[in-house]
Amino acid sequence: MLAVLLLPEFSELEAALFLEAARRLGLPAYTVAKGRKGTPALAGSVWTPTYAFPAAPPPRALLIPAARRPERMAQDPAYLDFLSALWEGLEAVFLGSNAHLFLAEAGRLPSPVAAGGEVGEALKARGYALLPGPFARTGKVYGTAGGLALLSALADWVGKEVAL
Protein backbone atom coordinates (compact mmCIF):
# COMPACT_ATOMS: atom_id res chain seq x y z
CA MET A 1 0.00 0.00 0.00
CA LEU A 2 1.30 3.46 -0.94
CA ALA A 3 0.38 6.76 0.68
CA VAL A 4 0.66 10.35 -0.52
CA LEU A 5 1.10 12.90 2.27
CA LEU A 6 -0.81 16.06 1.42
CA LEU A 7 0.98 19.07 2.88
CA PRO A 8 -0.84 22.39 2.47
CA GLU A 9 -0.19 23.83 -1.01
CA PHE A 10 1.26 20.56 -2.35
CA SER A 11 2.10 19.72 -5.97
CA GLU A 12 -1.00 18.07 -7.37
CA LEU A 13 1.02 17.12 -10.45
CA GLU A 14 3.43 14.98 -8.42
CA ALA A 15 0.62 13.49 -6.33
CA ALA A 16 -1.49 12.66 -9.40
CA LEU A 17 1.47 11.11 -11.29
CA PHE A 18 2.32 8.92 -8.32
CA LEU A 19 -1.27 7.82 -7.73
CA GLU A 20 -1.79 7.00 -11.40
CA ALA A 21 1.49 5.07 -11.54
CA ALA A 22 0.44 3.09 -8.46
CA ARG A 23 -2.92 2.31 -10.09
CA ARG A 24 -1.26 1.09 -13.29
CA LEU A 25 1.10 -1.08 -11.26
CA GLY A 26 -1.83 -2.56 -9.35
CA LEU A 27 -0.63 -1.12 -6.04
CA PRO A 28 -3.30 0.21 -3.67
CA ALA A 29 -2.72 3.85 -2.79
CA TYR A 30 -4.40 6.57 -0.76
CA THR A 31 -3.96 10.17 0.29
CA VAL A 32 -3.48 11.26 3.89
CA ALA A 33 -3.43 14.63 5.64
CA LYS A 34 -3.68 16.17 9.06
CA GLY A 35 -7.47 16.23 8.79
CA ARG A 36 -10.21 15.14 6.40
CA LYS A 37 -11.14 18.60 5.18
CA GLY A 38 -9.97 19.74 1.76
CA THR A 39 -6.26 20.42 1.33
CA PRO A 40 -5.35 23.20 -1.14
CA ALA A 41 -2.82 22.39 -3.85
CA LEU A 42 -0.35 24.70 -5.63
CA ALA A 43 -2.36 25.09 -8.84
CA GLY A 44 -5.57 25.91 -6.98
CA SER A 45 -7.32 22.57 -6.78
CA VAL A 46 -8.53 21.24 -3.43
CA TRP A 47 -8.11 17.56 -2.55
CA THR A 48 -10.04 15.71 0.11
CA PRO A 49 -7.68 13.17 1.67
CA THR A 50 -8.76 9.57 1.95
CA TYR A 51 -7.61 9.45 5.59
CA ALA A 52 -6.67 11.73 8.44
CA PHE A 53 -3.46 10.82 10.28
CA PRO A 54 -4.91 8.71 13.10
CA ALA A 55 -7.10 6.58 10.79
CA ALA A 56 -4.61 5.89 7.99
CA PRO A 57 -3.51 2.27 7.52
CA PRO A 58 0.28 1.84 7.62
CA PRO A 59 1.73 2.18 4.11
CA ARG A 60 4.74 0.35 2.67
CA ALA A 61 5.84 3.52 0.88
CA LEU A 62 5.16 7.23 1.28
CA LEU A 63 5.32 10.07 -1.24
CA ILE A 64 5.89 13.54 0.09
CA PRO A 65 5.17 15.78 -2.90
CA ALA A 66 6.65 19.23 -3.35
CA ALA A 67 4.85 22.00 -1.48
CA ARG A 68 5.09 25.69 -0.77
CA ARG A 69 7.28 26.03 2.35
CA PRO A 70 7.38 22.28 3.20
CA GLU A 71 9.80 22.83 6.07
CA ARG A 72 7.10 24.72 7.99
CA MET A 73 4.95 21.59 8.25
CA ALA A 74 7.86 19.73 9.86
CA GLN A 75 7.45 22.05 12.84
CA ASP A 76 3.86 20.89 13.37
CA PRO A 77 3.73 18.12 16.02
CA ALA A 78 0.90 16.34 14.15
CA TYR A 79 3.07 15.84 11.04
CA LEU A 80 6.07 14.79 13.14
CA ASP A 81 3.99 12.30 15.14
CA PHE A 82 2.54 10.81 11.93
CA LEU A 83 5.99 10.45 10.40
CA SER A 84 7.43 8.93 13.59
CA ALA A 85 4.58 6.45 13.93
CA LEU A 86 5.15 4.94 10.48
CA TRP A 87 8.85 5.57 9.78
CA GLU A 88 10.22 2.18 10.88
CA GLY A 89 7.63 0.26 8.86
CA LEU A 90 8.24 2.16 5.62
CA GLU A 91 10.17 0.45 2.85
CA ALA A 92 10.52 3.62 0.77
CA VAL A 93 9.97 7.37 1.09
CA PHE A 94 9.75 9.30 -2.19
CA LEU A 95 10.50 13.03 -2.14
CA GLY A 96 9.03 15.49 -4.61
CA SER A 97 11.14 18.34 -5.97
CA ASN A 98 11.46 20.23 -2.66
CA ALA A 99 10.07 17.78 -0.07
CA HIS A 100 13.68 17.24 1.02
CA LEU A 101 13.25 20.38 3.13
CA PHE A 102 10.39 18.78 5.07
CA LEU A 103 12.43 15.66 5.83
CA ALA A 104 15.55 17.71 6.67
CA GLU A 105 13.61 19.84 9.14
CA ALA A 106 12.11 16.67 10.63
CA GLY A 107 15.64 15.28 11.10
CA ARG A 108 15.14 12.30 8.79
CA LEU A 109 16.86 13.31 5.54
CA PRO A 110 19.90 11.12 4.84
CA SER A 111 23.12 12.38 3.37
CA PRO A 112 24.01 12.02 0.60
CA VAL A 113 20.73 12.72 -1.19
CA ALA A 114 19.68 13.56 -4.76
CA ALA A 115 18.29 17.07 -5.10
CA GLY A 116 18.59 19.71 -7.75
CA GLY A 117 18.45 23.44 -8.26
CA GLU A 118 17.68 25.73 -5.36
CA VAL A 119 16.80 22.81 -3.10
CA GLY A 120 20.20 21.24 -3.71
CA GLU A 121 21.91 24.54 -2.93
CA ALA A 122 19.88 24.95 0.27
CA LEU A 123 20.79 21.42 1.35
CA LYS A 124 24.48 21.98 0.55
CA ALA A 125 24.39 25.09 2.75
CA ARG A 126 23.05 22.88 5.57
CA GLY A 127 25.93 20.43 5.11
CA TYR A 128 24.22 17.71 3.06
CA ALA A 129 26.17 15.90 0.36
CA LEU A 130 24.38 15.69 -2.99
CA LEU A 131 24.17 12.79 -5.41
CA PRO A 132 23.95 13.39 -9.17
CA GLY A 133 20.98 12.46 -11.31
CA PRO A 134 17.22 12.95 -11.34
CA PHE A 135 16.79 10.47 -8.45
CA ALA A 136 18.88 8.40 -6.06
CA ARG A 137 18.15 6.16 -3.09
CA THR A 138 19.91 6.46 0.25
CA GLY A 139 18.55 3.91 2.70
CA LYS A 140 14.78 4.04 2.31
CA VAL A 141 14.72 7.62 1.01
CA TYR A 142 14.45 8.36 -2.71
CA GLY A 143 15.52 11.94 -3.29
CA THR A 144 14.24 13.15 -6.65
CA ALA A 145 14.07 16.21 -8.84
CA GLY A 146 10.29 15.71 -8.75
CA GLY A 147 7.93 15.34 -11.69
CA LEU A 148 8.78 12.42 -13.96
CA ALA A 149 11.81 11.54 -11.80
CA LEU A 150 9.27 10.26 -9.26
CA LEU A 151 8.10 7.68 -11.80
CA SER A 152 11.68 6.51 -12.36
CA ALA A 153 12.20 6.23 -8.61
CA LEU A 154 8.96 4.26 -8.18
CA ALA A 155 9.96 1.97 -11.07
CA ASP A 156 13.31 1.39 -9.37
CA TRP A 157 11.60 0.45 -6.11
CA VAL A 158 9.07 -1.96 -7.64
CA GLY A 159 11.57 -3.37 -10.13
CA LYS A 160 9.52 -2.74 -13.27
CA GLU A 161 8.76 0.12 -15.62
CA VAL A 162 5.78 2.36 -15.09
CA ALA A 163 3.86 2.79 -18.34
CA LEU A 164 1.68 5.89 -18.46
Side-chain angles (χ1 to χ4, degrees), residues 11 13-15 17 42 63-67 93-101 109 113-121 123 130-137 141-154:
S11 168
L13 173 63
E14 290 179 354
L17 276 172
L42 283 171
L63 165 66
I64 305 171
V93 178
F94 299 91
L95 302 177
S97 62
N98 73 351
H100 309 66
L101 301 173
L109 186 67
V113 65
E118 293 176 18
V119 173
E121 293 304 315
L123 292 174
L130 298 181
L131 294 168
F135 81 90
R137 183 177 186 170
V141 176
Y142 279 92
T144 79
L148 295 176
L150 283 168
L151 297 181
S152 297
L154 180 59

Short mmCIF file of all heavy atoms in Angstrom, two decimals, residues 11 13-15 17 42 63-67 93-101 109 113-121 123 130-137 141-154:
data_model
loop_
_atom_site.label_atom_id
_atom_site.label_comp_id
_atom_site.label_asym_id
_atom_site.label_seq_id
_atom_site.Cartn_x
_atom_site.Cartn_y
_atom_site.Cartn_z
N SER A 11 2.10 19.86 -4.51
CA SER A 11 2.10 19.72 -5.97
C SER A 11 1.12 18.64 -6.39
O SER A 11 1.39 17.45 -6.24
CB SER A 11 3.50 19.36 -6.47
OG SER A 11 3.44 18.95 -7.82
N LEU A 13 0.43 17.85 -9.34
CA LEU A 13 1.02 17.12 -10.45
C LEU A 13 1.79 15.90 -9.94
O LEU A 13 1.60 14.79 -10.42
CB LEU A 13 1.94 18.01 -11.28
CG LEU A 13 2.73 17.30 -12.38
CD1 LEU A 13 1.79 16.71 -13.42
CD2 LEU A 13 3.74 18.22 -13.01
N GLU A 14 2.65 16.11 -8.96
CA GLU A 14 3.43 14.98 -8.42
C GLU A 14 2.52 13.95 -7.76
O GLU A 14 2.70 12.75 -7.95
CB GLU A 14 4.49 15.49 -7.43
CG GLU A 14 5.60 16.24 -8.12
CD GLU A 14 6.65 16.79 -7.18
OE1 GLU A 14 6.49 16.70 -5.94
OE2 GLU A 14 7.65 17.30 -7.69
N ALA A 15 1.54 14.42 -7.00
CA ALA A 15 0.62 13.49 -6.33
C ALA A 15 -0.17 12.68 -7.35
O ALA A 15 -0.29 11.46 -7.24
CB ALA A 15 -0.33 14.27 -5.41
N LEU A 17 0.58 12.04 -10.56
CA LEU A 17 1.47 11.11 -11.29
C LEU A 17 1.73 9.86 -10.46
O LEU A 17 1.66 8.73 -10.97
CB LEU A 17 2.81 11.79 -11.58
CG LEU A 17 2.92 12.65 -12.81
CD1 LEU A 17 4.26 13.38 -12.83
CD2 LEU A 17 2.76 11.82 -14.07
N LEU A 42 -1.04 23.55 -5.05
CA LEU A 42 -0.35 24.70 -5.63
C LEU A 42 -1.10 25.34 -6.80
O LEU A 42 -1.09 26.56 -6.94
CB LEU A 42 1.05 24.30 -6.09
CG LEU A 42 2.09 24.14 -4.99
CD1 LEU A 42 3.37 23.54 -5.55
CD2 LEU A 42 2.37 25.46 -4.31
N LEU A 63 4.88 8.95 -0.41
CA LEU A 63 5.32 10.07 -1.24
C LEU A 63 5.05 11.35 -0.49
O LEU A 63 3.94 11.56 0.01
CB LEU A 63 4.56 10.11 -2.57
CG LEU A 63 4.69 11.44 -3.34
CD1 LEU A 63 6.12 11.68 -3.82
CD2 LEU A 63 3.70 11.53 -4.48
N ILE A 64 6.07 12.19 -0.41
CA ILE A 64 5.89 13.54 0.09
C ILE A 64 6.10 14.45 -1.12
O ILE A 64 7.23 14.64 -1.57
CB ILE A 64 6.89 13.89 1.21
CG1 ILE A 64 6.80 12.85 2.33
CG2 ILE A 64 6.62 15.29 1.74
CD1 ILE A 64 7.90 12.96 3.38
N PRO A 65 5.01 14.95 -1.71
CA PRO A 65 5.17 15.78 -2.90
C PRO A 65 5.72 17.16 -2.54
O PRO A 65 5.72 17.55 -1.37
CB PRO A 65 3.75 15.89 -3.46
CG PRO A 65 2.85 15.58 -2.33
CD PRO A 65 3.62 14.74 -1.36
N ALA A 66 6.20 17.85 -3.54
CA ALA A 66 6.65 19.23 -3.35
C ALA A 66 5.50 20.05 -2.75
O ALA A 66 4.33 19.71 -2.92
CB ALA A 66 7.09 19.83 -4.68
N ALA A 67 5.86 21.12 -2.08
CA ALA A 67 4.85 22.00 -1.48
C ALA A 67 5.46 23.39 -1.30
O ALA A 67 6.68 23.55 -1.33
CB ALA A 67 4.38 21.46 -0.14
N VAL A 93 10.53 6.02 0.97
CA VAL A 93 9.97 7.37 1.09
C VAL A 93 10.43 8.12 -0.15
O VAL A 93 11.63 8.25 -0.40
CB VAL A 93 10.47 8.09 2.36
CG1 VAL A 93 9.91 9.50 2.43
CG2 VAL A 93 10.10 7.30 3.60
N PHE A 94 9.46 8.59 -0.95
CA PHE A 94 9.75 9.30 -2.19
C PHE A 94 9.56 10.79 -1.95
O PHE A 94 8.52 11.21 -1.42
CB PHE A 94 8.82 8.83 -3.31
CG PHE A 94 8.97 7.37 -3.62
CD1 PHE A 94 8.18 6.42 -2.98
CD2 PHE A 94 9.91 6.93 -4.53
CE1 PHE A 94 8.32 5.07 -3.25
CE2 PHE A 94 10.06 5.57 -4.81
CZ PHE A 94 9.26 4.64 -4.16
N LEU A 95 10.55 11.59 -2.36
CA LEU A 95 10.50 13.03 -2.14
C LEU A 95 10.28 13.77 -3.44
O LEU A 95 11.03 13.58 -4.40
CB LEU A 95 11.80 13.51 -1.50
CG LEU A 95 12.16 12.85 -0.17
CD1 LEU A 95 13.51 13.36 0.32
CD2 LEU A 95 11.08 13.08 0.86
N GLY A 96 9.26 14.62 -3.47
CA GLY A 96 9.03 15.49 -4.61
C GLY A 96 10.14 16.53 -4.69
O GLY A 96 11.08 16.52 -3.89
N SER A 97 10.03 17.45 -5.63
CA SER A 97 11.14 18.34 -5.97
C SER A 97 11.70 19.16 -4.81
O SER A 97 12.88 19.48 -4.81
CB SER A 97 10.74 19.27 -7.11
OG SER A 97 9.66 20.09 -6.71
N ASN A 98 10.91 19.50 -3.80
CA ASN A 98 11.46 20.23 -2.66
C ASN A 98 11.07 19.63 -1.31
O ASN A 98 11.31 20.22 -0.26
CB ASN A 98 11.08 21.71 -2.70
CG ASN A 98 9.62 21.95 -2.36
OD1 ASN A 98 8.82 21.03 -2.25
ND2 ASN A 98 9.27 23.22 -2.20
N ALA A 99 10.49 18.43 -1.32
CA ALA A 99 10.07 17.78 -0.07
C ALA A 99 11.26 17.41 0.82
O ALA A 99 11.09 17.11 1.99
CB ALA A 99 9.23 16.55 -0.38
N HIS A 100 12.46 17.47 0.26
CA HIS A 100 13.68 17.24 1.02
C HIS A 100 13.71 18.16 2.24
O HIS A 100 14.19 17.78 3.31
CB HIS A 100 14.92 17.54 0.17
CG HIS A 100 14.93 16.87 -1.16
ND1 HIS A 100 14.04 17.17 -2.15
CD2 HIS A 100 15.76 15.93 -1.66
CE1 HIS A 100 14.31 16.44 -3.22
NE2 HIS A 100 15.36 15.67 -2.94
N LEU A 101 13.21 19.39 2.06
CA LEU A 101 13.25 20.38 3.13
C LEU A 101 12.37 19.97 4.31
O LEU A 101 12.70 20.24 5.46
CB LEU A 101 12.85 21.75 2.59
CG LEU A 101 13.73 22.27 1.44
CD1 LEU A 101 13.16 23.56 0.87
CD2 LEU A 101 15.17 22.44 1.89
N LEU A 109 16.29 13.32 6.89
CA LEU A 109 16.86 13.31 5.54
C LEU A 109 18.28 12.76 5.59
O LEU A 109 19.13 13.29 6.31
CB LEU A 109 16.88 14.72 4.95
CG LEU A 109 17.33 14.82 3.50
CD1 LEU A 109 16.31 14.14 2.58
CD2 LEU A 109 17.53 16.26 3.08
N VAL A 113 22.09 12.78 -0.66
CA VAL A 113 20.73 12.72 -1.19
C VAL A 113 20.72 13.39 -2.57
O VAL A 113 21.50 14.30 -2.81
CB VAL A 113 19.73 13.41 -0.23
CG1 VAL A 113 20.02 14.89 -0.10
CG2 VAL A 113 18.30 13.15 -0.63
N ALA A 114 19.85 12.92 -3.45
CA ALA A 114 19.68 13.56 -4.76
C ALA A 114 18.72 14.72 -4.61
O ALA A 114 17.65 14.58 -4.03
CB ALA A 114 19.15 12.56 -5.78
N ALA A 115 19.13 15.86 -5.10
CA ALA A 115 18.29 17.07 -5.10
C ALA A 115 18.90 18.04 -6.10
O ALA A 115 20.12 18.10 -6.24
CB ALA A 115 18.22 17.70 -3.72
N GLY A 116 18.07 18.79 -6.75
CA GLY A 116 18.59 19.71 -7.75
C GLY A 116 18.23 21.15 -7.47
O GLY A 116 17.47 21.46 -6.55
N GLY A 117 18.79 22.03 -8.28
CA GLY A 117 18.45 23.44 -8.26
C GLY A 117 18.61 24.11 -6.92
O GLY A 117 19.57 23.86 -6.17
N GLU A 118 17.65 24.97 -6.61
CA GLU A 118 17.68 25.73 -5.36
C GLU A 118 17.62 24.83 -4.13
O GLU A 118 18.23 25.13 -3.10
CB GLU A 118 16.52 26.73 -5.32
CG GLU A 118 16.63 27.84 -6.33
CD GLU A 118 15.41 28.75 -6.33
OE1 GLU A 118 14.64 28.73 -5.35
OE2 GLU A 118 15.25 29.47 -7.31
N VAL A 119 16.90 23.73 -4.23
CA VAL A 119 16.80 22.81 -3.10
C VAL A 119 18.16 22.20 -2.82
O VAL A 119 18.60 22.12 -1.66
CB VAL A 119 15.74 21.71 -3.35
CG1 VAL A 119 15.76 20.66 -2.27
CG2 VAL A 119 14.37 22.33 -3.47
N GLY A 120 18.86 21.79 -3.86
CA GLY A 120 20.20 21.24 -3.71
C GLY A 120 21.14 22.25 -3.06
O GLY A 120 21.92 21.90 -2.17
N GLU A 121 21.06 23.49 -3.51
CA GLU A 121 21.91 24.54 -2.93
C GLU A 121 21.58 24.77 -1.46
O GLU A 121 22.48 24.94 -0.63
CB GLU A 121 21.77 25.84 -3.73
CG GLU A 121 22.33 25.76 -5.14
CD GLU A 121 23.79 25.32 -5.18
OE1 GLU A 121 24.60 25.83 -4.37
OE2 GLU A 121 24.12 24.44 -6.01
N LEU A 123 20.32 22.59 0.60
CA LEU A 123 20.79 21.42 1.35
C LEU A 123 22.31 21.45 1.51
O LEU A 123 22.83 21.11 2.58
CB LEU A 123 20.33 20.13 0.69
CG LEU A 123 18.83 19.87 0.74
CD1 LEU A 123 18.47 18.64 -0.08
CD2 LEU A 123 18.33 19.72 2.18
N LEU A 130 25.36 15.92 -1.93
CA LEU A 130 24.38 15.69 -2.99
C LEU A 130 24.85 14.62 -3.96
O LEU A 130 26.04 14.53 -4.28
CB LEU A 130 24.13 16.98 -3.76
CG LEU A 130 23.54 18.14 -2.95
CD1 LEU A 130 23.31 19.34 -3.85
CD2 LEU A 130 22.25 17.74 -2.27
N LEU A 131 23.92 13.80 -4.40
CA LEU A 131 24.17 12.79 -5.41
C LEU A 131 23.70 13.30 -6.77
O LEU A 131 22.69 14.01 -6.84
CB LEU A 131 23.41 11.50 -5.06
CG LEU A 131 23.88 10.79 -3.78
CD1 LEU A 131 22.87 9.71 -3.39
CD2 LEU A 131 25.25 10.20 -3.99
N PRO A 132 24.39 12.94 -7.84
CA PRO A 132 23.95 13.39 -9.17
C PRO A 132 22.75 12.60 -9.67
O PRO A 132 22.47 11.51 -9.18
CB PRO A 132 25.18 13.11 -10.04
CG PRO A 132 25.84 11.95 -9.36
CD PRO A 132 25.59 12.14 -7.88
N GLY A 133 22.08 13.16 -10.65
CA GLY A 133 20.98 12.46 -11.31
C GLY A 133 19.62 12.93 -10.88
O GLY A 133 19.48 13.65 -9.89
N PRO A 134 18.60 12.51 -11.63
CA PRO A 134 17.22 12.95 -11.34
C PRO A 134 16.64 12.28 -10.09
O PRO A 134 15.69 12.76 -9.51
CB PRO A 134 16.45 12.56 -12.58
CG PRO A 134 17.25 11.46 -13.21
CD PRO A 134 18.68 11.73 -12.84
N PHE A 135 17.21 11.11 -9.70
CA PHE A 135 16.79 10.47 -8.45
C PHE A 135 17.92 9.58 -7.95
O PHE A 135 18.78 9.14 -8.72
CB PHE A 135 15.50 9.66 -8.62
CG PHE A 135 15.69 8.29 -9.21
CD1 PHE A 135 15.92 7.19 -8.39
CD2 PHE A 135 15.65 8.09 -10.58
CE1 PHE A 135 16.11 5.92 -8.93
CE2 PHE A 135 15.83 6.83 -11.13
CZ PHE A 135 16.07 5.74 -10.30
N ALA A 136 17.93 9.34 -6.66
CA ALA A 136 18.88 8.40 -6.06
C ALA A 136 18.30 7.95 -4.73
O ALA A 136 17.57 8.69 -4.06
CB ALA A 136 20.24 9.04 -5.85
N ARG A 137 18.64 6.73 -4.35
CA ARG A 137 18.15 6.16 -3.09
C ARG A 137 19.29 6.12 -2.08
O ARG A 137 20.39 5.66 -2.38
CB ARG A 137 17.61 4.76 -3.33
CG ARG A 137 17.04 4.13 -2.09
CD ARG A 137 16.45 2.76 -2.36
NE ARG A 137 15.78 2.26 -1.17
CZ ARG A 137 15.02 1.21 -1.13
NH1 ARG A 137 14.79 0.52 -2.24
NH2 ARG A 137 14.45 0.83 -0.02
N VAL A 141 15.14 6.33 1.56
CA VAL A 141 14.72 7.62 1.01
C VAL A 141 15.17 7.78 -0.44
O VAL A 141 16.36 7.69 -0.75
CB VAL A 141 15.25 8.79 1.86
CG1 VAL A 141 14.89 10.13 1.24
CG2 VAL A 141 14.71 8.70 3.29
N TYR A 142 14.19 8.02 -1.31
CA TYR A 142 14.45 8.36 -2.71
C TYR A 142 14.36 9.87 -2.85
O TYR A 142 13.27 10.44 -2.85
CB TYR A 142 13.40 7.73 -3.63
CG TYR A 142 13.62 6.30 -3.99
CD1 TYR A 142 13.07 5.27 -3.24
CD2 TYR A 142 14.39 5.95 -5.11
CE1 TYR A 142 13.26 3.94 -3.58
CE2 TYR A 142 14.59 4.62 -5.46
CZ TYR A 142 14.02 3.63 -4.69
OH TYR A 142 14.21 2.32 -5.04
N GLY A 143 15.51 10.52 -2.96
CA GLY A 143 15.52 11.94 -3.29
C GLY A 143 15.33 12.06 -4.78
O GLY A 143 15.91 11.28 -5.54
N THR A 144 14.48 12.99 -5.21
CA THR A 144 14.24 13.15 -6.65
C THR A 144 14.21 14.62 -7.01
O THR A 144 14.11 15.50 -6.15
CB THR A 144 12.89 12.54 -7.10
OG1 THR A 144 11.82 13.43 -6.76
CG2 THR A 144 12.65 11.17 -6.48
N ALA A 145 14.26 14.87 -8.31
CA ALA A 145 14.07 16.21 -8.84
C ALA A 145 12.58 16.49 -9.01
O ALA A 145 12.20 17.54 -9.50
CB ALA A 145 14.80 16.35 -10.18
N GLY A 146 11.74 15.55 -8.62
CA GLY A 146 10.29 15.71 -8.75
C GLY A 146 9.80 15.35 -10.14
O GLY A 146 10.55 14.85 -10.97
N GLY A 147 8.52 15.60 -10.38
CA GLY A 147 7.93 15.34 -11.69
C GLY A 147 8.13 13.91 -12.15
O GLY A 147 7.90 12.96 -11.41
N LEU A 148 8.61 13.75 -13.38
CA LEU A 148 8.78 12.42 -13.96
C LEU A 148 9.87 11.60 -13.26
O LEU A 148 9.87 10.38 -13.34
CB LEU A 148 9.05 12.52 -15.45
CG LEU A 148 7.89 13.08 -16.28
CD1 LEU A 148 8.29 13.23 -17.74
CD2 LEU A 148 6.65 12.22 -16.14
N ALA A 149 10.78 12.27 -12.56
CA ALA A 149 11.81 11.54 -11.80
C ALA A 149 11.16 10.67 -10.72
O ALA A 149 11.70 9.63 -10.35
CB ALA A 149 12.82 12.50 -11.19
N LEU A 150 9.99 11.09 -10.24
CA LEU A 150 9.27 10.26 -9.26
C LEU A 150 8.87 8.92 -9.86
O LEU A 150 8.93 7.89 -9.19
CB LEU A 150 8.01 10.98 -8.76
CG LEU A 150 8.24 12.10 -7.75
CD1 LEU A 150 6.96 12.90 -7.56
CD2 LEU A 150 8.71 11.52 -6.42
N LEU A 151 8.47 8.94 -11.13
CA LEU A 151 8.10 7.68 -11.80
C LEU A 151 9.31 6.75 -11.94
O LEU A 151 9.19 5.55 -11.73
CB LEU A 151 7.48 7.97 -13.17
CG LEU A 151 6.18 8.75 -13.16
CD1 LEU A 151 5.67 8.93 -14.59
CD2 LEU A 151 5.15 8.09 -12.29
N SER A 152 10.47 7.31 -12.26
CA SER A 152 11.68 6.51 -12.36
C SER A 152 12.05 5.93 -11.00
O SER A 152 12.46 4.77 -10.90
CB SER A 152 12.85 7.35 -12.89
OG SER A 152 12.56 7.81 -14.19
N ALA A 153 11.90 6.71 -9.96
CA ALA A 153 12.20 6.23 -8.61
C ALA A 153 11.23 5.11 -8.20
O ALA A 153 11.65 4.09 -7.65
CB ALA A 153 12.15 7.38 -7.61
N LEU A 154 9.95 5.30 -8.50
CA LEU A 154 8.96 4.26 -8.18
C LEU A 154 9.26 2.98 -8.97
O LEU A 154 9.20 1.88 -8.42
CB LEU A 154 7.54 4.76 -8.47
CG LEU A 154 6.41 3.79 -8.18
CD1 LEU A 154 6.38 3.37 -6.71
CD2 LEU A 154 5.06 4.41 -8.58
#
